[in-house]
Amino acid sequence: MGDRVRGKVALVTGAASGIGRATSDLLRDEGASVYYADINDKGIRAAAHLKGHALALDVTNEDDWLPVSIL
């Protein structure tokens, strides 16, 4: 793969499965440091096991976003 986003940081919501996971994997393969975020904690841990960071996040809950601001 290429290095189009090498050195960038990506936060992808809905990353435990489907389009969100595919997008996260592609960004990771292209060189980004990827935070896999999803309400499904077990699912994101499985998805992020290869060079990714798992982040349990319910995007509808403002309190869940507070730790994200330190990324």
Side-chain angles (χ1 to χ4, degrees):
M1 291 283 163
D3 292 331
R4 296 184 298 179
V5 291
R6 181 157 309 283
K8 303 291 184 182
V9 176
L11 170 66
V12 181
T13 60
S17 63
I19 294 171
R21 178 153 182 189
T23 301
S24 298
D25 291 344
L26 178 62
L27 287 165
R28 184 197 64 225
D29 292 346
E30 292 287 335
S33 177
V34 179
Y35 286 83
Y36 289 68
D38 202 294
I39 196 169
N40 178 350
D41 186 48
K42 185 177 178 181
I44 58 168
R45 293 194 189 284
H49 77 281
L50 299 171
K51 300 183 192 175
H53 309 281
L55 181 62
L57 176 66
D58 176 355
V59 297
T60 66
N61 182 353
E62 184 177 355
D63 290 337
D64 278 4
W65 283 98
L66 296 176
V68 176
S69 65
I70 63 169
L71 299 179

Coordinates of all heavy atoms in Angstrom, one line a residue:
M1 N 0.8 -1.2 0.0 CA 0.0 0.0 0.0 C 0.9 1.3 0.0 O 2.1 1.2 0.2 CB -0.9 0.0 1.2 CG -2.0 -1.0 1.2 SD -3.3 -0.5 0.2 CE -4.1 -2.0 -0.1
G2 N 0.2 2.4 -0.2 CA 0.9 3.6 -0.2 C 1.1 4.3 1.1 O 0.8 3.7 2.2
D3 N 1.6 5.5 1.1 CA 1.8 6.2 2.4 C 1.0 7.5 2.3 O 1.5 8.5 2.9 CB 3.3 6.5 2.5 CG 4.1 5.2 2.8 OD1 3.5 4.3 3.4 OD2 5.3 5.2 2.4
R4 N -0.1 7.6 1.8 CA -0.9 8.8 1.6 C -1.2 9.6 2.9 O -1.3 10.8 2.9 CB -2.2 8.6 0.8 CG -1.9 8.1 -0.6 CD -3.2 7.9 -1.4 NE -4.0 6.9 -0.7 CZ -5.2 6.6 -1.2 NH1 -5.7 7.2 -2.2 NH2 -5.9 5.7 -0.6
V5 N -1.4 8.8 4.0 CA -1.7 9.5 5.2 C -0.7 9.2 6.3 O -1.0 9.4 7.5 CB -3.2 9.1 5.6 CG1 -4.2 9.7 4.7 CG2 -3.3 7.6 5.8
R6 N 0.5 8.8 5.9 CA 1.5 8.5 6.9 C 1.7 9.7 7.8 O 1.8 10.8 7.4 CB 2.8 8.1 6.2 CG 3.9 7.8 7.3 CD 5.0 6.9 6.8 NE 4.6 5.7 6.1 CZ 4.2 4.6 6.7 NH1 4.1 4.5 8.0 NH2 3.9 3.5 6.0
G7 N 1.8 9.4 9.1 CA 2.0 10.5 10.1 C 0.8 11.2 10.5 O 0.8 12.0 11.4
K8 N -0.4 10.9 9.9 CA -1.6 11.6 10.3 C -2.3 10.7 11.4 O -2.0 9.5 11.6 CB -2.6 11.7 9.1 CG -2.0 12.4 8.0 CD -1.8 13.9 8.3 CE -1.3 14.6 7.0 NZ -1.1 16.0 7.3
V9 N -3.3 11.3 12.1 CA -4.1 10.6 13.1 C -5.5 10.6 12.6 O -6.0 11.6 12.2 CB -4.0 11.3 14.5 CG1 -4.9 10.6 15.5 CG2 -2.5 11.3 15.0
A10 N -6.1 9.4 12.7 CA -7.5 9.3 12.2 C -8.3 8.7 13.4 O -7.9 7.8 14.0 CB -7.6 8.4 11.0
L11 N -9.5 9.3 13.6 CA -10.5 8.8 14.5 C -11.7 8.4 13.7 O -12.4 9.2 13.1 CB -10.9 9.9 15.5 CG -12.1 9.5 16.4 CD1 -11.7 8.4 17.4 CD2 -12.5 10.7 17.2
V12 N -12.0 7.1 13.7 CA -13.1 6.5 12.9 C -14.1 6.0 13.8 O -13.9 5.1 14.6 CB -12.6 5.5 11.9 CG1 -13.8 4.9 11.0 CG2 -11.5 6.0 11.0
T13 N -15.4 6.5 13.7 CA -16.4 6.0 14.5 C -17.2 4.9 13.8 O -17.1 4.8 12.6 CB -17.5 7.1 14.9 OG1 -18.0 7.6 13.7 CG2 -16.8 8.2 15.7
G14 N -17.8 4.0 14.5 CA -18.4 2.8 13.9 C -17.4 1.8 13.4 O -17.7 1.1 12.4
A15 N -16.2 1.8 14.0 CA -15.1 1.0 13.5 C -15.1 -0.5 13.8 O -14.2 -1.2 13.5 CB -13.8 1.7 13.9
A16 N -16.1 -0.9 14.6 CA -16.1 -2.4 15.0 C -16.4 -3.3 13.8 O -16.1 -4.4 13.8 CB -17.0 -2.6 16.1
S17 N -17.1 -2.7 12.8 CA -17.5 -3.6 11.7 C -17.9 -2.8 10.5 O -18.0 -1.6 10.6 CB -18.7 -4.5 12.1 OG -19.9 -3.6 12.4
G18 N -18.2 -3.5 9.4 CA -18.7 -2.9 8.2 C -17.8 -1.8 7.6 O -16.6 -1.9 7.6
I19 N -18.4 -0.7 7.1 CA -17.7 0.3 6.4 C -16.7 1.0 7.4 O -15.6 1.4 7.0 CB -18.7 1.4 5.8 CG1 -19.5 0.7 4.7 CG2 -18.0 2.6 5.3 CD1 -20.7 1.6 4.2
G20 N -17.1 1.2 8.6 CA -16.2 1.9 9.6 C -14.9 1.0 9.8 O -13.8 1.6 9.8
R21 N -15.0 -0.3 9.9 CA -13.9 -1.1 10.0 C -13.0 -1.1 8.8 O -11.8 -1.0 8.8 CB -14.2 -2.5 10.4 CG -13.0 -3.4 10.5 CD -13.2 -4.5 11.4 NE -11.9 -5.3 11.5 CZ -11.8 -6.5 12.1 NH1 -12.9 -7.0 12.7 NH2 -10.7 -7.1 12.1
A22 N -13.6 -1.2 7.6 CA -12.9 -1.2 6.4 C -12.2 0.1 6.2 O -11.0 0.1 5.7 CB -13.8 -1.4 5.2
T23 N -12.8 1.2 6.5 CA -12.2 2.5 6.4 C -11.0 2.6 7.4 O -9.9 3.1 7.0 CB -13.2 3.7 6.8 OG1 -14.3 3.6 5.8 CG2 -12.5 5.0 6.7
S24 N -11.1 2.2 8.6 CA -10.1 2.2 9.6 C -8.9 1.3 9.1 O -7.7 1.8 9.2 CB -10.6 1.6 10.9 OG -11.6 2.4 11.4
D25 N -9.2 0.2 8.6 CA -8.1 -0.7 8.1 C -7.4 -0.1 7.0 O -6.1 -0.2 6.9 CB -8.7 -2.1 7.7 CG -9.2 -2.9 8.9 OD1 -8.8 -2.6 10.0 OD2 -9.9 -3.9 8.6
L26 N -8.1 0.5 6.1 CA -7.4 1.2 4.9 C -6.5 2.3 5.3 O -5.4 2.5 4.9 CB -8.5 1.7 3.9 CG -7.9 2.4 2.7 CD1 -7.1 1.5 1.8 CD2 -9.1 3.0 1.9
L27 N -7.0 3.2 6.3 CA -6.2 4.3 6.8 C -5.0 3.8 7.5 O -3.9 4.3 7.3 CB -7.1 5.1 7.7 CG -8.1 6.0 7.1 CD1 -9.1 6.5 8.1 CD2 -7.5 7.1 6.3
R28 N -5.1 2.7 8.2 CA -4.0 2.1 8.9 C -3.0 1.6 7.9 O -1.8 1.8 8.0 CB -4.4 0.9 9.8 CG -3.3 0.3 10.6 CD -3.7 -1.0 11.2 NE -3.9 -1.9 10.1 CZ -4.9 -2.8 10.0 NH1 -5.8 -2.8 10.9 NH2 -5.0 -3.6 9.0
D29 N -3.5 0.9 6.9 CA -2.6 0.4 5.8 C -1.9 1.5 5.0 O -0.8 1.2 4.5 CB -3.4 -0.5 4.9 CG -3.9 -1.8 5.5 OD1 -3.4 -2.2 6.6 OD2 -4.7 -2.5 4.9
E30 N -2.5 2.6 5.0 CA -1.9 3.8 4.3 C -1.0 4.6 5.2 O -0.5 5.6 4.8 CB -3.0 4.7 3.7 CG -3.8 4.0 2.6 CD -3.0 4.0 1.3 OE1 -2.1 4.8 1.1 OE2 -3.3 3.1 0.5
G31 N -0.8 4.2 6.4 CA 0.2 4.8 7.3 C -0.3 5.7 8.4 O 0.5 6.3 9.2
A32 N -1.6 5.8 8.6 CA -2.1 6.6 9.6 C -2.1 5.9 11.0 O -2.1 4.7 11.0 CB -3.6 7.1 9.3
S33 N -2.1 6.7 12.0 CA -2.3 6.1 13.4 C -3.8 6.2 13.6 O -4.4 7.3 13.6 CB -1.5 7.0 14.4 OG -1.8 6.5 15.7
V34 N -4.4 5.0 13.7 CA -5.9 5.0 13.7 C -6.4 4.7 15.1 O -6.0 3.7 15.8 CB -6.4 3.9 12.7 CG1 -7.9 3.9 12.7 CG2 -5.8 4.3 11.3
Y35 N -7.4 5.4 15.5 CA -8.2 5.2 16.7 C -9.5 4.6 16.2 O -10.3 5.2 15.6 CB -8.5 6.4 17.5 CG -7.2 6.9 18.2 CD1 -6.3 7.6 17.6 CD2 -7.0 6.5 19.6 CE1 -5.1 8.0 18.3 CE2 -5.9 6.8 20.2 CZ -4.9 7.6 19.6 OH -3.8 7.9 20.2
Y36 N -9.7 3.3 16.5 CA -11.0 2.6 16.2 C -12.0 2.9 17.3 O -11.8 2.5 18.4 CB -10.7 1.1 16.2 CG -9.9 0.6 15.0 CD1 -8.6 0.9 14.8 CD2 -10.5 -0.3 14.0 CE1 -7.8 0.4 13.8 CE2 -9.8 -0.8 13.0 CZ -8.4 -0.5 12.9 OH -7.7 -1.0 11.8
A37 N -13.0 3.6 17.0 CA -14.0 4.0 18.0 C -15.4 3.3 17.7 O -15.8 3.3 16.5 CB -14.2 5.5 18.0
D38 N -16.0 2.8 18.7 CA -17.3 2.2 18.6 C -17.9 2.0 20.0 O -17.2 1.9 20.9 CB -17.2 0.9 17.9 CG -18.5 0.5 17.2 OD1 -19.5 0.2 17.9 OD2 -18.5 0.4 16.0
I39 N -19.2 2.0 20.0 CA -19.9 1.7 21.3 C -19.7 0.2 21.6 O -19.8 -0.2 22.8 CB -21.4 2.0 21.1 CG1 -22.1 2.1 22.5 CG2 -22.1 1.1 20.2 CD1 -23.5 2.7 22.5
N40 N -19.4 -0.6 20.6 CA -19.1 -2.1 20.8 C -17.7 -2.3 21.2 O -16.8 -2.5 20.4 CB -19.4 -2.8 19.5 CG -19.2 -4.3 19.6 OD1 -18.6 -4.8 20.5 ND2 -19.6 -5.0 18.6
D41 N -17.4 -2.2 22.5 CA -16.1 -2.3 23.1 C -15.4 -3.6 22.7 O -14.2 -3.6 22.2 CB -16.1 -2.2 24.6 CG -14.7 -2.1 25.2 OD1 -13.9 -1.3 24.7 OD2 -14.5 -2.9 26.2
K42 N -16.0 -4.7 22.7 CA -15.4 -6.0 22.4 C -15.1 -6.0 20.9 O -14.0 -6.5 20.5 CB -16.3 -7.2 22.7 CG -15.7 -8.5 22.5 CD -16.7 -9.6 22.9 CE -16.1 -11.0 22.6 NZ -17.0 -12.1 23.0
G43 N -16.0 -5.5 20.1 CA -15.7 -5.4 18.6 C -14.6 -4.6 18.2 O -13.8 -4.9 17.3
I44 N -14.4 -3.4 18.9 CA -13.3 -2.6 18.5 C -12.0 -3.1 18.9 O -10.9 -2.9 18.3 CB -13.4 -1.1 19.0 CG1 -13.6 -1.0 20.5 CG2 -14.5 -0.4 18.2 CD1 -13.5 0.4 21.0
R45 N -12.0 -3.8 20.1 CA -10.7 -4.4 20.5 C -10.3 -5.5 19.5 O -9.1 -5.6 19.2 CB -10.8 -5.0 21.9 CG -11.0 -3.9 22.9 CD -10.8 -4.3 24.3 NE -11.2 -3.3 25.3 CZ -10.5 -2.2 25.5 NH1 -9.4 -2.1 24.9 NH2 -10.9 -1.3 26.3
A46 N -11.2 -6.2 19.0 CA -10.9 -7.3 18.0 C -10.4 -6.6 16.7 O -9.5 -7.0 16.0 CB -12.1 -8.2 17.7
A47 N -11.1 -5.5 16.3 CA -10.8 -4.8 15.0 C -9.4 -4.1 15.1 O -8.7 -4.0 14.1 CB -11.8 -3.8 14.7
A48 N -9.1 -3.6 16.3 CA -7.9 -2.7 16.4 C -6.6 -3.5 16.8 O -5.6 -3.0 17.0 CB -8.1 -1.7 17.5
H49 N -6.7 -4.8 16.9 CA -5.6 -5.6 17.4 C -4.3 -5.5 16.6 O -3.2 -5.8 17.1 CB -6.0 -7.1 17.6 CG -6.0 -7.9 16.3 ND1 -7.1 -7.8 15.4 CD2 -5.1 -8.7 15.8 CE1 -6.8 -8.6 14.4 NE2 -5.6 -9.2 14.6
L50 N -4.4 -5.1 15.3 CA -3.2 -4.9 14.5 C -2.8 -3.5 14.3 O -3.4 -2.8 13.5 CB -3.4 -5.5 13.1 CG -3.8 -7.0 13.0 CD1 -4.2 -7.3 11.5 CD2 -2.6 -7.8 13.3
K51 N -2.0 -2.9 15.2 CA -1.5 -1.6 15.0 C -2.5 -0.5 15.2 O -2.3 0.6 14.7 CB -0.8 -1.4 13.7 CG 0.4 -2.3 13.4 CD 1.0 -1.8 12.1 CE 1.9 -2.8 11.5 NZ 2.4 -2.5 10.2
G52 N -3.6 -0.8 15.8 CA -4.6 0.3 16.0 C -4.9 0.5 17.5 O -4.4 -0.2 18.3
H53 N -5.6 1.6 17.8 CA -6.0 1.9 19.1 C -7.5 1.8 19.3 O -8.2 2.4 18.5 CB -5.6 3.3 19.4 CG -4.1 3.7 19.1 ND1 -3.1 3.3 19.9 CD2 -3.6 4.3 18.0 CE1 -2.0 3.7 19.3 NE2 -2.3 4.3 18.2
A54 N -7.9 1.0 20.3 CA -9.3 0.8 20.5 C -9.8 1.9 21.5 O -9.2 2.3 22.4 CB -9.6 -0.5 21.1
L55 N -11.0 2.5 21.1 CA -11.6 3.6 21.9 C -13.1 3.3 22.1 O -13.8 3.4 21.1 CB -11.3 4.9 21.2 CG -11.8 6.2 21.9 CD1 -11.2 6.4 23.3 CD2 -11.6 7.4 21.0
A56 N -13.5 2.9 23.3 CA -14.9 2.7 23.5 C -15.6 4.1 23.5 O -15.2 5.0 24.3 CB -15.2 2.0 24.8
L57 N -16.5 4.3 22.6 CA -17.1 5.7 22.4 C -18.5 5.6 22.0 O -18.8 5.0 20.9 CB -16.3 6.5 21.4 CG -16.7 7.9 21.0 CD1 -16.7 8.8 22.2 CD2 -15.9 8.4 19.9
D58 N -19.4 6.2 22.7 CA -20.8 6.3 22.3 C -20.9 7.8 21.8 O -20.9 8.7 22.6 CB -21.8 6.1 23.4 CG -23.2 6.3 23.1 OD1 -23.5 6.8 22.0 OD2 -24.1 6.1 23.9
V59 N -21.0 8.0 20.5 CA -20.9 9.3 19.9 C -22.1 10.2 20.3 O -22.1 11.4 20.2 CB -20.8 9.3 18.4 CG1 -19.5 8.7 18.0 CG2 -21.9 8.7 17.7
T60 N -23.2 9.6 20.9 CA -24.3 10.3 21.3 C -24.2 10.8 22.8 O -25.1 11.5 23.3 CB -25.6 9.5 21.2 OG1 -25.6 8.4 22.1 CG2 -25.8 9.0 19.8
N61 N -23.1 10.4 23.5 CA -22.9 10.8 24.9 C -21.8 11.8 25.0 O -20.6 11.4 24.8 CB -22.7 9.5 25.7 CG -22.5 9.8 27.2 OD1 -22.5 10.9 27.6 ND2 -22.4 8.7 27.9
E62 N -22.1 13.0 25.3 CA -21.0 14.0 25.4 C -19.9 13.6 26.4 O -18.7 13.9 26.1 CB -21.6 15.3 25.9 CG -20.7 16.5 25.9 CD -21.3 17.8 26.2 OE1 -22.6 17.9 26.4 OE2 -20.6 18.8 26.4
D63 N -20.2 13.0 27.5 CA -19.2 12.6 28.5 C -18.2 11.6 27.9 O -17.0 11.6 28.3 CB -19.8 12.0 29.7 CG -20.6 13.0 30.5 OD1 -20.3 14.2 30.4 OD2 -21.5 12.6 31.3
D64 N -18.6 10.8 26.9 CA -17.6 9.9 26.2 C -16.6 10.7 25.4 O -15.5 10.1 25.2 CB -18.4 8.9 25.3 CG -18.9 7.7 26.1 OD1 -18.9 7.7 27.3 OD2 -19.5 6.8 25.4
W65 N -16.9 11.9 25.0 CA -16.0 12.6 24.2 C -14.9 13.3 25.0 O -13.8 13.7 24.4 CB -16.7 13.7 23.3 CG -17.4 13.1 22.2 CD1 -18.8 12.7 22.1 CD2 -16.9 12.7 20.9 NE1 -19.0 12.2 20.9 CE2 -17.9 12.2 20.1 CE3 -15.6 12.8 20.4 CZ2 -17.7 11.8 18.8 CZ3 -15.4 12.4 19.1 CH2 -16.4 11.9 18.3
L66 N -15.1 13.5 26.3 CA -14.1 14.3 27.1 C -12.7 13.6 27.0 O -11.7 14.4 26.8 CB -14.6 14.4 28.5 CG -15.8 15.2 28.7 CD1 -16.3 15.2 30.1 CD2 -15.7 16.6 28.2
P67 N -12.5 12.3 27.1 CA -11.2 11.8 27.0 C -10.6 11.9 25.6 O -9.4 11.9 25.4 CB -11.3 10.3 27.4 CG -12.7 10.2 28.0 CD -13.5 11.3 27.5
V68 N -11.4 12.0 24.6 CA -11.0 12.0 23.2 C -10.2 13.3 22.9 O -9.3 13.4 22.1 CB -12.2 11.9 22.2 CG1 -11.8 12.1 20.8 CG2 -12.9 10.5 22.4
S69 N -10.5 14.4 23.7 CA -9.9 15.7 23.4 C -8.4 15.7 23.7 O -7.7 16.6 23.3 CB -10.6 16.8 24.2 OG -10.4 16.5 25.6
I70 N -7.9 14.7 24.4 CA -6.5 14.6 24.7 C -5.7 13.9 23.6 O -4.5 13.8 23.7 CB -6.2 14.0 26.1 CG1 -6.7 12.5 26.1 CG2 -6.8 14.8 27.2 CD1 -6.3 11.7 27.3
L71 N -6.4 13.3 22.6 CA -5.6 12.6 21.6 C -4.7 13.5 20.9 O -4.5 14.1 20.2 CB -6.6 11.9 20.6 CG -7.6 10.9 21.3 CD1 -8.5 10.3 20.3 CD2 -6.8 9.8 21.9

